[in-house]
Amino acid sequence: MKKILFVFALFGTLACNNSPEENSVNTETPEVASEEKDTIPNFGIVIHGGAGTILKENMSDSLEQEYKSKLEEAVRAGHAVLERGGTSIEAIEQAINIMENSPLFNAGKGAVFTNAGTNELDAAVMDGETLNAGAVAGVTTVKNPIDLAIAVMKNSEHVMMIGEGAETFAEEQGMELVDPEYFFTENRFKSLQRIKDSEKTQLDHDDQKTAFLDPYIKDSKFGTVGAAALDKQGNLAAGTSTGGMTNKRWGRVGDVPVIGAGTYANNKTAAISGTGWGEFFIRGVVAYDISALMEYKGLSLQEAAEEVIQKKNVELGGNGGIIAIDHQGNVAMEFNTAGMYRAKMNRNGELEIGIYGEEE
Ligand code: ASP
């Protein structure tokens, strides 16, 4: 009987909760004595695997489970780094690598296709202690673009490198390079074909500009990955990695490698990683805007995230979400899309995983 009640209670929680925070599944709550808690320096990590039209009715149970276990694996890996005293940069790298190596997400292995049928990857990292940053755009042979972004930050005097130059640097740095074929996945290729077909249909009806933009909105399962962490030394870091948007062309670069747009970290405020329609994140300088509202207006992380994601981004006509952690370990996971793959883990090892939003 007890078992039945527990299952019912769990089902009730999943079915009835409304806010994304509440809708998350709390999968673990280890006991830590309160005196012991106070001696542990605050630390934590939060990750995302993309925002978009992610609806429970379109998701099979097995796929949902795959996403959840990959998110759990990634957030736990990052958390383990922090727990043993590693840096926030190391933690986000670990977490992002796991998602980059999975075909589930639009980053690394699962990167979406450009209009030309290629995969062009972008990534960025920022260190909240030094405000140092590294970014790469349009790379086609680097297995883990977040590693290259970190190398740009640590081992070069530059902040952003693109295309061939970035790849030469990757080679010099001894990064793992792959044949571009490595990034081929059937699903992503089919998405490109579907968008191209709908583009053709629209060209018969609409003007060219609308035809170009609409497929972006229709294929709104973006899938970028990102992580933000606070380490035991009190330092924040954020990182983001993506294949960009399906059907992108003309060397299009999104918000992810634009510091302040899709990625930002500052020990004074927070570490933030975004996902969504990149053009609007660039125009809204989303990640920096959240930090600026905290720094100059005294808003809390949650207030700033809501203001930017639920108001400013929506008013501009964009969509997407962010995950963020502030210098005290407070976490925000805010999105204006139907869902956002997300997970967080705090210093007590409390894990929370979420996929859907309010309408579920
Ligand atoms: N923001 C990414 C871009 O525009 C897409 C995403 O978040 O999935 O490149």
Side-chain angles (χ1 to χ4, degrees):
M1 182 64 185
K2 256 190 192 161
K3 237 187 204 165
I4 295 170
L5 275 177
F6 173 75
V7 171
F8 180 74
L10 183 65
F11 178 76
T13 311
L14 288 173
C16 304
N17 277 341
N18 268 337
S19 85
E21 271 287 309
E22 287 164 8
N23 193 31
S24 305
V25 186
N26 200 337
T27 52
E28 195 183 306
T29 316
E31 302 271 309
V32 180
S34 59
E35 318 86 68
E36 203 183 309
K37 265 186 202 168
D38 295 338
T39 62
I40 308 174
N42 209 356
F43 69 94
I45 181 163
V46 56
I47 64 172
H48 71 78
T53 314
I54 309 163
L55 298 168
K56 192 158 177 64
E57 59 259 35
N58 298 336
M59 180 86 81
S60 68
D61 289 348
S62 63
L63 188 59
E64 182 178 307
Q65 208 35 60
E66 273 185 60
Y67 273 109
K68 281 184 178 167
S69 54
K70 211 25 100 176
L71 287 167
E72 180 168 349
E73 186 188 336
V75 80
R76 279 191 187 281
H79 188 269
V81 171
L82 298 171
E83 194 154 47
R84 62 170 181 263
T87 68
S88 49
I89 300 281
E90 288 161 352
I92 59 153
E93 182 179 18
Q94 282 286 322
I96 291 175
N97 279 170
I98 286 168
M99 293 187 282
E100 282 180 332
N101 294 343
S102 161
L104 290 174
F105 305 99
N106 169 21
K109 173 69 188 152
V112 297
F113 283 86
T114 67
N115 179 267
T118 55
N119 308 96
E120 296 177 5
L121 287 66
D122 305 333
V125 66
M126 187 153 182
D127 179 340
E129 184 192 11
T130 58
L131 302 189
N132 202 354
V136 293
V139 295
T140 57
T141 61
V142 179
K143 187 176 177 219
N144 294 105
I146 193 69
D147 297 359
L148 184 57
I150 293 171
V152 169
M153 175 175 81
K154 288 190 170 166
N155 306 336
S156 87
E157 59 195 8
H158 304 305
V159 167
M160 190 191 267
M161 295 184 191
I162 61 162
E164 264 179 49
E167 281 172 2
T168 306
F169 179 71
E171 219 176 316
E172 282 176 23
Q173 291 289 308
M175 298 265 134
E176 185 170 355
L177 302 180
V178 290
D179 188 285
E181 276 289 301
Y182 165 81
F183 299 108
F184 180 90
T185 53
E186 194 69 36
N187 272 351
R188 300 295 190 201
F189 195 67
K190 280 188 185 149
S191 297
L192 175 66
Q193 301 314 318
R194 272 199 303 274
I195 289 189
K196 282 189 163 181
D197 289 348
S198 80
E199 205 175 35
K200 263 191 228 136
T201 319
Q202 282 176 50
L203 273 173
D204 297 337
H205 302 290
D206 298 328
D207 64 282
Q208 176 115 23
K209 196 172 170 227
T210 318
F212 172 62
L213 286 174
D214 271 4
Y216 278 145
I217 303 167
K218 286 194 186 119
D219 189 54
S220 44
K221 249 187 242 143
F222 301 125
T224 288
V225 309
L230 170 69
D231 63 30
K232 286 183 176 174
Q233 295 71 44
N235 293 321
L236 291 166
T240 318
S241 181
T242 189
M245 291 176 104
T246 307
N247 201 29
K248 64 183 181 181
R249 42 184 140 180
W250 306 303
R252 182 263 188 191
V253 174
D255 58 310
V256 166
V258 178
I259 298 301
T263 311
Y264 190 75
N266 186 336
N267 273 7
K268 276 194 204 162
T269 54
I272 302 134
S273 168
T275 171
W277 194 344
E279 278 68 11
F280 290 88
F281 274 57
I282 295 175
R283 289 166 57 200
V285 205
V286 163
Y288 180 73
D289 199 19
I290 292 171
S291 171
L293 284 170
M294 294 174 73
E295 185 174 359
Y296 302 127
K297 237 182 160 185
L299 264 56
S300 70
L301 171 61
Q302 186 56 40
E303 288 166 346
E306 274 175 30
E307 171 74 18
V308 172
I309 295 301
Q310 307 300 356
K311 256 180 92 189
K312 296 173 87 170
N313 184 251
V314 174
E315 280 165 15
L316 203 58
N319 58 4
I322 59 97
I323 50 96
I325 186 164
D326 73 11
H327 56 291
Q328 294 174 318
N330 299 306
V331 165
M333 302 189 287
E334 201 61 38
F335 52 97
N336 57 39
T337 46
M340 180 170 79
Y341 299 107
R342 58 199 185 275
K344 64 176 181 176
M345 211 168 174
N346 65 15
R347 70 170 178 178
N348 304 322
E350 289 160 349
L351 168 69
E352 223 178 278
I353 302 172
I355 296 181
Y356 311 109
E358 292 182 15
E359 81 287 359
E360 292 300 317

